[in-house]
Amino acid sequence: MAALRPRRRALLRLCRAFSSGGCQLAPERGGERRDAAPSRVSRFCPPRKSCHDWIGPPDKYSNLRPVHFYIPENESPLEQKLRELRQETQDWNQQFWANQNLTFLKEKEKFIDSRLKAKGLELRAESGQKATLNAEEMADFYKQFLSKNFQKHMYYNRDWYRRNFAITFFMGKVALERIWNKLGLKRKKTIN
């Protein structure tokens, strides 16, 4: 994964190198489900005249940083498809981790509560501090949680790679389209 980051940054720089024009940022989307964690990410808002993607502060539910995508004035249909795919992937990722973190916290509280009751202890000690379990007992929970969610994580990883390959493919197509358009403009200028 770390090896992909420099390549991805290089592709992003290449894609941006051929863009020009006005500035607009893609709106955040968030269809919320009742049984899911809230999908509304941070209220961070970049400057209106920004001509770059902006990364906001971490979302309090998913712990991921939302990206506000830049929309050029002369965005081609292929560039729009790429941006929408990136936005959709970000929304999907935010929602998955918000739900996963919510599930984790609920199950962790249940586990701690059940273990403390089995020991005959209260949730709060006499001093008012919240009672905790030792690292070995919590290791049982973590192992259990990961085993229980193995299939879900496997599907998430599969979909994550599919989406990233699709995004990388579209980034290549956009870069080629921009190069082709630049070469086409230079030819027209030399002919005239």
Side-chain angles (χ1 to χ4, degrees), residues 98-111:
N99 290 337
Q100 189 66 13
N101 291 344
L102 184 67
T103 302
F104 176 83
L105 291 174
K106 284 180 180 177
E107 289 186 21
K108 182 178 167 186
E109 285 300 316
K110 280 186 201 173
F111 179 83

Side-chain angles (χ1 to χ4, degrees), residues 3-192:
L4 290 176
R5 287 185 183 145
R7 288 185 197 145
R8 187 162 189 224
R9 276 192 230 121
L11 278 172
L12 282 170
R13 274 190 245 122
L14 180 64
C15 289
R16 287 195 184 115
F18 294 104
S19 71
S20 62
C23 306
Q24 185 182 0
L25 291 170
E28 290 179 352
R29 295 184 320 203
E32 295 182 16
R33 291 183 358 222
R34 289 182 189 169
D35 61 334
S39 66
R40 179 77 182 140
V41 291
S42 131
R43 296 187 185 279
F44 167 75
C45 189
R48 290 214 179 272
K49 298 209 177 204
S50 174
C51 294
H52 304 284
D53 293 346
W54 278 69
I55 299 172
D59 177 62
K60 70 179 187 178
Y61 300 106
S62 70
N63 295 323
L64 300 175
R65 293 179 174 270
V67 178
H68 296 264
F69 294 97
Y70 161 68
I71 305 173
E73 278 182 14
N74 57 347
E75 183 178 50
S76 72
L78 195 56
E79 290 171 321
Q80 181 181 358
K81 172 81 172 149
L82 172 62
R83 179 181 46 79
E84 288 171 352
L85 183 59
R86 290 176 67 204
Q87 180 68 48
E88 181 183 310
T89 299
Q90 176 187 297
D91 293 343
W92 168 80
N93 199 30
Q94 288 276 357
Q95 193 63 48
F96 175 84
W97 285 110
N99 290 337
Q100 189 66 13
N101 291 344
L102 184 67
T103 302
F104 176 83
L105 291 174
K106 284 180 180 177
E107 289 186 21
K108 182 178 167 186
E109 285 300 316
K110 280 186 201 173
F111 179 83
I112 291 172
D113 191 37
S114 69
R115 286 286 173 107
L116 289 174
K117 283 182 182 175
K119 290 180 175 182
L121 299 173
E122 294 292 322
L123 243 48
R124 297 228 177 249
E126 291 176 13
S127 63
Q129 284 186 321
K130 192 172 182 180
T132 59
L133 300 175
N134 64 32
E136 290 173 7
E137 290 173 310
M138 289 308 297
D140 291 339
F141 166 72
Y142 298 133
K143 183 178 186 286
Q144 191 179 51
F145 183 82
L146 288 173
S147 295
K148 181 179 173 183
N149 289 284
F150 175 77
Q151 196 76 21
K152 186 192 295 186
H153 288 133
M154 191 175 69
Y155 289 135
Y156 167 81
N157 284 334
R158 182 198 63 196
D159 291 346
W160 178 247
Y161 281 110
R162 277 186 188 163
R163 288 170 181 267
N164 278 311
F165 283 128
I167 288 170
T168 304
F169 175 73
F170 274 101
M171 289 175 94
K173 285 177 76 172
V174 166
L176 288 174
E177 178 186 59
R178 288 178 180 165
I179 291 170
W180 187 257
N181 290 341
K182 276 219 178 230
L183 291 174
L185 289 175
K186 287 181 182 177
R187 284 190 195 138
K188 287 179 185 175
K189 288 181 183 177
T190 56
I191 293 171
N192 293 336

